[in-house]
Amino acid sequence: LQHSSQRHSINQTMDAIARVKRLSIEGNIAVGKSTFARLLSNAGRNWEVTPEPVSKWQNVEEAISQIRQPLPSPQQTAGNLLQMMYQDPKRWSYTFQTFSCMSRMRTQLQPPPVQLLQAGDVAVQVYERSIYSDRYIFAQNMFELGGINSTEWAVYQDWHSFLVEQFGPKVQLEGIIYLRAPPQTCMERLTRRGREEEQGIQLDYLETLHKQHENWFINKSTKVHFEHLKNIPVLVLDGSLEFESDSEMQTKFITEVTNFLQ
Ligand code: DGT
């Protein structure tokens, strides 16, 4: 009996997964992903948007203690990993990628909220970045820049592939929204927002990240290892437009996303 009810609930879960479309928003640092994500969540549709957990990387101790018991060594507290990564990329990039990917994995494994599934038609879960851009944009870029050495890169790819294969459909995406803008525009926005950890970022770093985005989403030259990503639909939106205060542009974007989901 217990066995059949368990099977029933697995079927229900699989059914729920089948009725949900999962998208990630991708784009360079400071292009406006969070603003765009807010726009989608305020659009009042059957869309759930999960922001990127930047604050967790800024305070690792607190992030971990929310999930499990505090760390056993009280003499030293876990710090601001985002800052550590920017200050000493060779020492901290691999550690950063393990933590960012773990937090993205947790986000993508969250089941859709019940109210989203009860609302009738296909529900949409939207993530800011994903476990895939963690690998094919950031970790790959860090490897190419020398922040991650070839041993770390091999180890990263090994556990990343293993986890993605183990979790299967639960962490798959059905589409990607690429918010595209020149690196110079992102640099200006980054300077304007003044996030402390990012003050040392130079334009050439944004250019390397831009190239990674372009290779994957426009030139399609990035080698992706997961079948479901090989022909994944990509919606390219012009992120150079200042859409935050332009309601006409916002309506246009929402329409484009709605059409993309059809
Ligand atoms: P937005 O809303 O488009 O302005 O996006 P941001 O800049 O708030 O968010 P995002 O994803 O570009 O990242 C926040 C910070 O974390 C930024 O300094 C870049 C860094 N970051 C995010 N993901 C990764 C990663 O996987 N690896 C590395 N090395 N850095 C990352």
Side-chain angles (χ1 to χ4, degrees):
L1 246 179
Q2 194 191 13
H3 184 68
S4 82
S5 74
Q6 268 174 359
R7 240 198 352 235
H8 181 60
S9 84
I10 290 169
N11 284 344
Q12 280 177 323
T13 310
M14 293 315 286
D15 186 44
I17 289 171
R19 285 194 292 126
V20 176
K21 278 198 175 177
R22 282 143 314 157
L23 309 180
S24 74
I25 307 173
E26 307 292 351
N28 212 336
I29 299 175
V31 70
K33 294 177 296 298
S34 314
T35 311
F36 186 72
R38 271 197 306 278
L39 173 67
L40 290 188
S41 57
N42 293 337
R45 317 253 164 134
N46 204 12
W47 300 343
E48 192 215 28
V49 185
T50 314
E52 186 176 54
V54 182
S55 61
K56 288 193 182 160
W57 314 330
Q58 292 169 311
N59 191 338
V60 174
E61 183 85 14
E62 193 185 305
I64 291 176
S65 66
Q66 279 169 7
I67 302 163
R68 50 185 104 263
Q69 293 296 311
L71 297 173
S73 142
Q75 297 95 324
Q76 277 199 326
T77 52
N80 183 336
L81 192 49
L82 186 65
Q83 186 172 50
M84 289 151 80
M85 184 269 298
Y86 280 129
Q87 281 179 352
D88 190 352
K90 268 197 171 18
R91 170 65 185 86
W92 292 109
S93 286
Y94 175 78
T95 310
F96 186 93
Q97 291 312 143
T98 63
F99 197 59
S100 59
C101 198
M102 278 289 287
S103 52
R104 290 175 168 135
M105 195 70 80
R106 276 197 182 94
T107 301
Q108 286 185 233
L109 282 168
Q110 289 287 318
V114 181
Q115 64 274 24
L116 208 66
L117 294 170
Q118 284 169 345
D121 36 271
V122 176
V124 182
Q125 273 186 299
V126 186
Y127 310 110
E128 261 186 79
R129 295 202 193 277
S130 61
I131 54 174
Y132 305 109
S133 46
D134 197 282
R135 173 169 172 170
Y136 294 118
I137 303 282
F138 278 102
Q140 182 156 318
N141 197 48
M142 275 302 181
F143 168 60
E144 288 172 14
L145 293 177
I148 286 179
N149 69 31
S150 48
T151 308
E152 290 167 324
W153 183 220
V155 172
Y156 175 97
Q157 292 180 94
D158 186 42
W159 61 250
H160 188 281
S161 296
F162 176 74
L163 290 177
V164 171
E165 281 152 18
Q166 289 298 308
F167 288 125
K170 283 195 257 177
V171 293
Q172 287 181 5
L173 298 176
E174 281 74 37
I176 288 172
I177 300 173
Y178 172 30
L179 216 47
R180 188 183 192 206
Q184 183 64 47
T185 308
C186 298
M187 191 71 213
E188 283 154 23
R189 291 177 186 167
L190 186 149
T191 311
R192 213 183 311 147
R193 84 168 164 209
R195 189 181 278 153
E196 212 180 305
E197 296 86 346
E198 296 175 343
Q199 293 316 299
I201 293 183
Q202 306 285 321
L203 179 61
D204 57 1
Y205 180 58
L206 298 188
E207 279 166 350
T208 60
L209 285 169
H210 179 70
K211 199 182 87 209
Q212 301 292 352
H213 284 87
E214 294 285 296
N215 284 347
W216 185 7
F217 304 129
I218 306 291
N219 310 324
K220 316 268 181 193
S221 58
T222 301
K223 266 209 164 71
V224 287
H225 301 80
F226 308 109
E227 274 314 309
H228 86 280
L229 285 188
K230 289 193 174 150
N231 292 308
I232 191 163
V234 178
L235 172 67
V236 183
L237 295 178
D238 187 354
S240 64
L241 304 162
E242 296 289 341
F243 58 87
E244 190 165 12
S245 50
D246 184 338
S247 60
E248 208 174 300
M249 191 54 64
Q250 293 177 2
T251 311
K252 190 170 165 285
F253 276 175
I254 298 284
T255 309
E256 286 195 56
V257 176
T258 309
N259 294 340
F260 180 62
L261 288 165
Q262 303 295 308

